[in-house]
Amino acid sequence: MRWPGEVPELGWSRGGDRRVSVLAYGVGLGFRAVGERHCVGARGNVCPLGAVVPGRSTGGRCAECARLDRAHSVAADTMADDPRTYRVYLAWFGPGMVKVGITGEERGAARLREQGAVAFSWLGRGPLMAARRTEEVLRAALGVPDRIPYAKKRAVRGQLPGPEERAGAVAELYARAAALEGRGWPESLERLPLEVVDQVGVFGLDRAPDPDPDPGRSVREGGTAPVRAVQELVDGGVVAGRLVAAAGPDLHLAVADGGVVVLDTRLITGWDLTSVTRAAEATEATGSDVRVPLIDIGGGGVQGGLF
């Protein structure tokens, strides 16, 4: 799944053929997993072993391909002479969940959408190593983590505070970060002005339907909160529903029982998928249009078996 703009896309491949599906909220989406899940390779190269990978792995790669992919990433600090301009960002994912990170300037806000950042602001721009140094200084000084687990992001996504509180949280973090300028910041990093970007609308979190819609409810009241997430795909497992929201790698699907289930699209990489029609096949035997193992969002137990 990719976010090249403000609309999510799914990339598909069959042999050397590749295509992209642009996703739209309110549209049905369904598939059945077939066979075994295989490593997707690294850096555009096919896995030489054709290795089978675990269904619950969000990486979708075998150990060797994962090491190769990581070795050529910005996060591995192996590209010190990279001539491109990078930006430092401050991202907010929910109450008490903020982080500092960097991304290539030419990518714009794609990295923030890929991570599911609900709101963010740019902090500075400059060479890679200056951006990386600033990131490290701010993490240590502000006590913010280098990453936030997706499970925690999902747990609060349906109960977000209002836009003023979201903007205020980013502005407060920006003020704390800006106060450190000159105290460890590289001189080659240019500070950018505060400009909070709110992505609730982009993700569709402001219009996802409630199982029992109430026009008076807002996103803050949690009426659209998903309570289950796909834990893994299995051979013959079906996932189908109506896309109501998306954030980062996650698709929020309204399903037949009236609930909303989250599908982390990182779990579908490496699978052969066939299409299903929601009405004709997905609910045929069980009355449900999700028949894969599910888990409660927010730390609950596995829902059990195939749904």
Side-chain angles (χ1 to χ4, degrees):
M1 183 162 158
R2 296 184 288 265
W3 287 89
E6 295 190 348
V7 178
E9 298 178 353
L10 282 177
W12 309 85
S13 65
R14 178 184 290 277
D17 297 331
R18 298 180 181 276
R19 66 182 179 88
V20 171
S21 297
V22 178
L23 303 180
Y25 301 134
V27 174
L29 175 70
F31 60 83
R32 176 184 287 111
V34 179
E36 293 180 311
R37 187 187 189 195
H38 292 90
C39 175
V40 296
R43 301 286 156 176
N45 300 304
V46 175
C47 174
L49 303 176
V52 174
V53 294
R56 298 183 187 182
S57 166
T58 54
R61 294 183 173 92
C62 67
E64 289 301 318
C65 287
R67 277 193 287 270
L68 176 61
D69 188 69
R70 174 78 178 177
H72 292 84
S73 71
V74 172
D77 285 335
T78 58
M79 305 164 62
D81 58 348
D82 190 332
R84 295 174 295 176
T85 299
Y86 282 78
R87 288 199 174 202
V88 181
Y89 61 80
L90 306 172
W92 184 89
F93 299 89
M97 287 187 285
V98 295
K99 66 164 288 189
V100 179
I102 70 172
T103 185
E105 187 169 66
E106 76 280 0
R107 298 200 67 209
R111 180 64 178 149
L112 282 304
R113 293 187 288 268
E114 291 169 355
Q115 294 187 48
V118 175
F120 73 92
S121 176
W122 301 116
L123 179 66
R125 63 187 297 272
L128 171 60
M129 298 315 291
R132 177 65 78 200
R133 172 60 180 164
T134 303
E135 178 187 34
E136 293 172 352
V137 168
L138 294 179
R139 282 177 182 169
L142 302 180
V144 296
D146 60 348
R147 59 175 53 89
I148 298 174
Y150 280 101
K152 290 186 176 181
K153 300 175 188 178
R154 295 181 192 115
V156 301
R157 199 176 287 153
Q159 300 176 329
L160 298 173
E164 296 82 6
E165 290 184 53
R166 299 195 294 265
V170 177
E172 179 184 7
L173 182 62
Y174 180 94
R176 292 172 59 202
L180 296 171
E181 190 172 10
R183 297 158 55 190
W185 279 45
E187 293 182 1
S188 55
L189 190 88
E190 171 192 357
R191 179 152 68 94
L192 297 173
L194 171 68
E195 185 176 349
V196 179
V197 178
D198 193 294
Q199 302 196 116
V200 163
V202 171
F203 294 153
L205 299 173
D206 59 345
R207 56 183 179 273
D210 194 295
D212 182 20
D214 178 355
R217 267 186 167 176
S218 69
V219 68
R220 176 172 184 160
E221 294 174 283
T224 65
V227 295
R228 294 171 296 171
V230 173
Q231 187 176 44
E232 64 177 318
L233 301 188
V234 294
D235 181 24
V238 172
V239 176
R242 182 163 51 89
L243 182 64
V244 295
D250 293 344
L251 301 179
H252 293 211
L253 300 172
V255 297
D257 64 4
V260 176
V261 170
V262 173
L263 169 65
D264 183 340
T265 54
R266 296 175 300 171
L267 295 175
I268 71 177
T269 59
W271 280 99
D272 285 339
L273 305 177
T274 61
S275 62
V276 298
T277 58
R278 182 179 180 188
E281 297 184 53
T283 63
E284 180 179 6
T286 64
S288 173
D289 48 9
V290 177
R291 282 185 280 150
V292 293
L294 301 177
I295 190 169
D296 290 341
I297 290 176
V302 177
Q303 294 288 322
L306 297 182
F307 281 65

